[in-house]
Amino acid sequence: MVSDIKQVPESPAGETGKPDEALGAAGPDAEGAGTGSLAPPSTAEPTQPQQVRNLPWLLSRARIWTRRGLILVLRVSRLVTIGVRQIKPGLRFLWRSILRRWRRSMEFRTVLTTLLLAVTSFAIVGAYLSNQIANNLFQERLAQAESESRYNVKQVQDTFDGAQVTDQSSVITLVYDTLTAVEGRGSVIQRRYVFEAAPEQTKPRNRWVESRASDQLTIRVIPPDLRKAVQEGGKQQFWAPTQFPVGNEDRPGIAVGNKVTFNGTVYELYLIYDLNTAQQTLDEIQNVLWAGGAALVLMIGAIAWYVTRNVVSPVSHAAVVSEKLAAGQLQERMVVKGEDEVARLGASFNHMAASLQEQITQLATLSQMQQRFVSDVSHELRTPLTTVRMAAEVLFDARDDFDPMNKRSAELLYYQVERFQSLLSDLLEISRFDAGAAVLDAEPQDIFQVVAHVVEGAAPVAEEYGSEVRLNARQKSIVVEMDSRRIERILRNLLLNALEHGEGKPVHISVAANHDAVAVSVRDHGIGMSQAEAARVFDRFWRADPARARTTGGSGLGLSIAAEDTKLHNGWLQAWGSKGAGSNFRLTLPLRQGGSIVKSPLLLEPADIDFPGATSERQVLVLGTDNTGTALESPSGSGEPAAQDHEQGEKP
């Protein structure tokens, strides 16, 4: 009786079974197989002198073939290296193009992400379905194999138990017929068998059959673990997956093992069921899954591209129109189709663009009218102002003959006319900037000469406020391509502004240069200003304290004109201030006309007014007053100019 079936774990790949006994032949003559056979007479061995003569020839041929092999390897490696060198730039260019496309195109990013997610999802679902189908097919075939094996093993055992044979020929015929019936031969072999006598048992006198197998099978196709389980398991039935050869291919199968007895001998009977049909079915299902998945992924990609294009195209069109509007093409509009959300967005965008165009046109017209008005008024005022100034000068020169009240009136008239003329000059200069008529007259010049001229011109104002002007520099000469008249006007405005707001404290002028720029900073220690005030200090007619009276000039346009002059030089003009700690104005210019500035040589927020390094590397110009009221100049060192600046400025 066959007991319940038990599964045997599959043997590791490449593991072979124990050496088996010789398999029985297909007929009665099989027992004679394996006996010795006559070997043909061997030829005589070559003599010793012939071997000695052949050895050098063999060595030379070996060296030749070795050299040829090395040459072939070198040529192949060279070809591979050249191919990699030629392919690598193309792959790098393709990768960079994909990354650039990924960063700049939302449509490409959305479609590619959708495809990657679809492929990943399909791979997971496909693997799960394939595994489930394969498992169901295997379990179905296994259940069928178990049922058929129980039935066929019972039939074999019943046939062996009822057999009444005593001679060798009858035994062999009975075993052959019984196993052939189990094999179920027909147009297709239903199952294959391996019939093997169990090892380690005494061979009875009438045991004429050792082993039998279908076709070209041997006991080696049975996994060793299955054989061990069958040998130790009594009447239980075991199975294990295996592979067996059929023609020139290996097919998957299930081996089911049992024990049967015949004439007092215990045999191992293994029935092998072919799973090739199930494997072909599984392969066809997997091919269908892959083909359907590929088609589905392409369809998903096409749908994602279509949907994304319909959504992204209006946004891209809006971005293009926005860029054109920003470039000054105010007549550009979006094309609106339909009544959906995108269409409403396009309509709103067009309405906004029309409103902006109208407002910009109005502002431009108003600005032109304002500029023309300022220019016309400034020009028209020059003639009467000249007349008034001449009259004021006459009255001012004759003021000593007037009574005190008329004398004071003549002085006020003279000074206010001077301020009025300065304001008119600034208005004319501003009108030239607005009209785009301002041009540079740049030429190479030492910036220290310009700074010295500005300091010398501001000496009376410094004396009036009681402030010292100190020049800090490490170089003795810095040649810059600049319009000296405009740079002098910038520095004069900065210095007079520092003296006016410095509250009598020293004013420091620092000059430094690097490989592409030169910077001049004017630092005072007066009332200072806040960050918000520093951001608006270059606005026209702006005053930090409108109620505060000006005592020196002050048309409110000086810093604005300085900013415009700086723009003409492609430079930077920046301001820093702190309440109670003073302020610092930094002018940065390129050394060459048309050059660019990467870093300013000086810090905008001053940490220390002195340069790092030895005192001999610094020259200081001090303008103060002695008892006679003249300007003093005292160099503190005559060292060589420094090779480079240690103090770095930040980029705005």
Side-chain angles (χ1 to χ4, degrees), residues 286-308:
Q286 289 179 345
N287 292 335
V288 171
L289 286 176
W290 282 113
L296 183 61
V297 168
L298 293 178
M299 291 176 62
I300 292 174
I303 294 172
W305 174 81
Y306 178 76
V307 174
T308 307

Side-chain angles (χ1 to χ4, degrees), residues 70-89:
L70 291 175
I71 293 173
L72 180 61
V73 170
L74 290 176
R75 289 180 177 177
V76 172
S77 62
R78 186 179 303 169
L79 290 176
V80 172
T81 304
I82 294 174
V84 170
R85 289 178 180 176
Q86 292 179 352
I87 294 174
K88 190 175 181 180

Side-chain angles (χ1 to χ4, degrees), residues 18 28 37 42 62 89 96 106 192 253 297 396 489 498 520 536 538 623 625:
K18 299 179 181 179
S37 60
S42 60
R96 290 178 179 176
M106 185 172 67
R192 291 168 175 81
V297 168
F396 183 77
R489 181 167 58 189
V520 180
R536 297 194 56 193
F538 299 107
L623 288 181
T625 57

Side-chain angles (χ1 to χ4, degrees), residues 366-377:
L366 180 61
S367 177
Q368 292 177 358
M369 293 175 60
Q370 181 181 5
Q371 294 173 9
R372 188 179 301 111
F373 173 77
V374 172
S375 178
D376 294 343
V377 169

Side-chain angles (χ1 to χ4, degrees), residues 23-43:
L23 299 179
D29 299 334
E31 289 196 342
T35 59
S37 60
L38 295 176
S42 60
T43 59

Side-chain angles (χ1 to χ4, degrees), residues 164-388:
Q164 300 294 329
V165 290
T166 56
D167 59 303
Q168 179 181 0
S169 176
S170 300
V171 169
I172 293 175
T173 302
L174 176 64
V175 171
Y176 178 77
D177 293 340
T178 303
L179 295 178
T180 301
V182 170
E183 192 176 26
R185 282 185 176 272
S187 59
V188 178
I189 299 178
Q190 298 178 0
R191 65 189 68 83
R192 291 168 175 81
Y193 67 87
V194 174
F195 188 71
E196 181 77 13
E200 299 180 359
Q201 61 176 332
T202 304
K203 182 177 181 180
R205 188 172 55 182
N206 58 350
R207 191 173 88 190
W208 293 295
V209 179
E210 289 291 336
S211 63
R212 286 279 181 177
S214 296
D215 298 335
Q216 300 177 354
L217 299 183
T218 63
I219 193 63
R220 291 184 177 87
V221 302
I222 306 302
D225 293 337
L226 177 59
R227 289 203 64 191
K228 182 178 180 181
V230 171
Q231 292 170 7
E232 298 176 355
K235 292 296 184 179
Q236 294 178 346
Q237 180 172 276
F238 300 91
W239 69 272
T242 185
Q243 286 186 344
F244 60 94
V246 177
N248 296 327
E249 63 176 348
D250 290 338
R251 293 185 178 180
I254 299 175
V256 182
N258 292 271
K259 279 184 180 180
V260 295
T261 57
F262 181 49
N263 286 342
T265 302
V266 179
Y267 290 91
E268 302 171 18
L269 177 59
Y270 300 96
L271 300 181
I272 302 175
Y273 294 85
D274 193 352
L275 296 181
N276 189 53
T277 303
Q279 183 63 44
Q280 292 178 353
T281 302
L282 180 61
D283 293 340
E284 292 178 358
I285 293 174
Q286 289 179 345
N287 292 335
V288 171
L289 286 176
W290 282 113
L296 183 61
V297 168
L298 293 178
M299 291 176 62
I300 292 174
I303 294 172
W305 174 81
Y306 178 76
V307 174
T308 307
R309 184 176 181 82
N310 288 337
V311 175
V312 174
S313 294
V315 179
S316 301
H317 182 52
V320 173
V321 174
S322 300
E323 293 175 355
K324 292 182 178 180
L325 290 174
Q329 303 178 18
L330 302 178
Q331 72 281 358
E332 289 292 330
R333 297 293 184 271
M334 289 184 61
V335 179
V336 180
K337 296 181 180 179
E339 300 178 356
D340 55 4
E341 291 82 356
V342 178
R344 291 199 299 272
L345 175 63
S348 301
F349 184 89
N350 290 339
H351 180 69
M352 177 189 68
S355 178
L356 288 176
Q357 181 182 12
E358 182 180 358
Q359 294 179 12
I360 291 174
T361 303
Q362 292 178 357
L363 291 175
T365 303
L366 180 61
S367 177
Q368 292 177 358
M369 293 175 60
Q370 181 181 5
Q371 294 173 9
R372 188 179 301 111
F373 173 77
V374 172
S375 178
D376 294 343
V377 169
S378 300
H379 283 84
E380 292 297 330
L381 287 177
R382 294 182 65 181
T383 301
L385 182 60
T386 302
T387 304
V388 172

Side-chain angles (χ1 to χ4, degrees), residues 389-422:
R389 181 182 179 185
M390 293 174 61
E393 288 179 352
V394 171
L395 293 176
F396 183 77
D397 293 338
R399 67 184 184 278
D400 294 335
D401 299 334
F402 299 158
D403 58 81
M405 182 177 296
N406 291 330
K407 180 180 179 180
R408 180 58 180 166
S409 299
E411 292 175 351
L412 291 176
L413 177 63
Y414 176 79
Y415 290 122
Q416 293 304 318
V417 168
E418 289 288 337
R419 288 173 56 85
F420 191 17
Q421 188 174 13
S422 176

